[in-house]
Amino acid sequence: MKLRTTAAAIFIGMLAAMPAKADKLDDIIASGTLRCAVTLDFPPMGSRDEKNQPVGFDVDTCNDLAKVLGVKAEIVETPFPDRIPALVSDRADVGVASTSDTLERAKTIGFSIPYFAFKMVVLTKEGTGIDTYESLKGKKTGSTSGTFEAIALEKDVKAWGGGSFRPYQTQADVFLALSQGQIDATVVTNTVAQATVKSGKFKGFVVKGDAPYVTDYVALIGLRQEQGLLNYLSLFVNQQVRTGRYQELYDKWVGGGEAPDLTVKGVYR
């Protein structure tokens, strides 16, 4: 008995001597602020209104997450290529920035379950002669560097052996290049295409068919080792869907029917 007591005392002493491991979820709650990396040139997911205030589906999602955590939301404007660096460098706590859940990215960053799903379409200008994805062969194309659609489009351009692909830093850069004739077309999400054409800011922009890519499921992101936070993010997404808030935000920012199904047939429901 004495030996057991002594061993227990030693074990407890060792635990007490070990440095406490920081937990990101606890840190966020203790700080009183949730810093969300959000891309603000990607309407209707993220943009700025006439008063230069951040708005969009992703902005509202960040605000909802902050609310259930009982903290204040802080929007950290983050270009697409900087989403993961923003977390690794501790400029943001989580990413609410339409980040595709790829296996390559998962080597560096952690993902929640999907919180949105995109279909891809061809966006071009009137008079380019482009009316389908296949007619992009031999054309000048471009997309936002590091995005799901950019990776897929560049791969196809290389396989076609003709035409060109040019990466851009932001979605705004892509639209400017398209409007100025630097490129003939781009591939973007259906939500972005609809919002851009509807805005009327770019004369002659038209959507010309679907891109034959798999559905782009996007997730909330956090540091890979912060499993407590990542589990919470997944439960948060689950609650957004179950309570109807997901559909409510879709109606507000996208519209046009039922929000995209976040389940993967044959994998999970």
Side-chain angles (χ1 to χ4, degrees):
M1 178 65 76
K2 185 176 181 180
L3 288 174
R4 289 181 181 178
T5 302
T6 301
I10 293 173
F11 179 69
I12 292 172
M14 290 173 63
L15 289 178
M18 292 174 62
K21 185 181 183 299
D23 181 272
K24 190 67 174 178
L25 182 58
D26 288 340
D27 290 346
I28 292 169
I29 295 172
S31 73
T33 302
L34 172 70
R35 301 170 300 165
C36 295
V38 180
T39 300
L40 295 179
D41 70 336
F42 191 57
M45 305 306 284
S47 61
R48 290 187 179 276
D49 63 15
E50 62 280 358
K51 296 181 180 179
N52 204 37
Q53 295 301 306
V55 294
F57 186 99
D58 285 347
V59 174
D60 278 356
T61 298
C62 172
N63 290 333
D64 287 352
L65 178 58
K67 183 177 179 180
V68 296
L69 286 171
V71 299
K72 178 180 68 175
E74 177 184 328
I75 304 300
V76 180
E77 184 170 3
T78 309
F80 277 122
D82 201 32
R83 289 171 293 183
I84 292 175
L87 298 183
V88 174
S89 64
D90 196 36
R91 286 183 282 118
D93 301 309
V94 301
V96 189
S98 303
T99 308
S100 306
D101 55 356
T102 68
L103 290 174
E104 186 62 31
R105 285 177 177 156
K107 296 175 183 177
T108 306
I109 210 73
F111 293 90
S112 71
I113 60 175
Y115 80 100
F116 204 86
F118 295 105
K119 297 290 186 180
M120 300 295 163
V121 297
V122 175
L123 183 66
T124 184
K125 286 183 66 178
E126 295 173 345
T128 60
I130 295 171
D131 54 11
T132 64
Y133 182 79
E134 288 69 26
S135 59
L136 293 180
K137 295 178 181 179
K139 301 291 187 177
K140 298 178 294 182
T141 65
S143 190
T144 310
S145 177
T147 60
F148 173 88
E149 56 271 27
I151 295 169
L153 178 57
E154 183 176 17
K155 180 180 178 181
D156 280 349
V157 169
K158 289 180 178 178
W160 293 333
S164 63
F165 173 85
R166 182 176 177 181
Y168 292 88
Q169 184 71 11
T170 69
Q171 190 77 76
D173 292 337
V174 177
F175 292 157
L176 181 61
L178 180 57
S179 67
Q180 294 179 343
Q182 297 174 30
I183 58 175
D184 300 314
T186 184
V187 173
V188 295
T189 66
N190 56 328
T191 55
V192 167
Q194 291 166 8
T196 303
V197 172
K198 186 178 179 180
S199 73
K201 294 180 179 178
F202 297 95
K203 186 178 179 180
F205 275 24
V206 288
V207 177
K208 289 293 183 177
D210 296 335
Y213 304 161
V214 296
T215 300
D216 180 19
Y217 294 96
V218 298
L220 307 180
I221 57 174
L223 294 177
R224 188 181 63 179
Q225 66 271 25
E226 294 294 345
Q227 287 301 313
L229 174 61
L230 295 172
N231 289 339
Y232 191 90
L233 294 179
S234 289
L235 180 59
F236 165 74
V237 173
N238 188 307
Q239 293 284 350
Q240 290 286 90
V241 175
R242 284 160 52 185
T243 61
R245 178 60 171 166
Y246 169 57
Q247 181 66 53
E248 182 181 332
L249 292 183
Y250 184 84
D251 291 340
K252 177 181 178 181
W253 293 109
V254 183
E258 189 173 352
D261 188 356
L262 300 180
T263 61
V264 179
K265 185 177 180 181
V267 180
Y268 60 81
R269 296 180 180 276

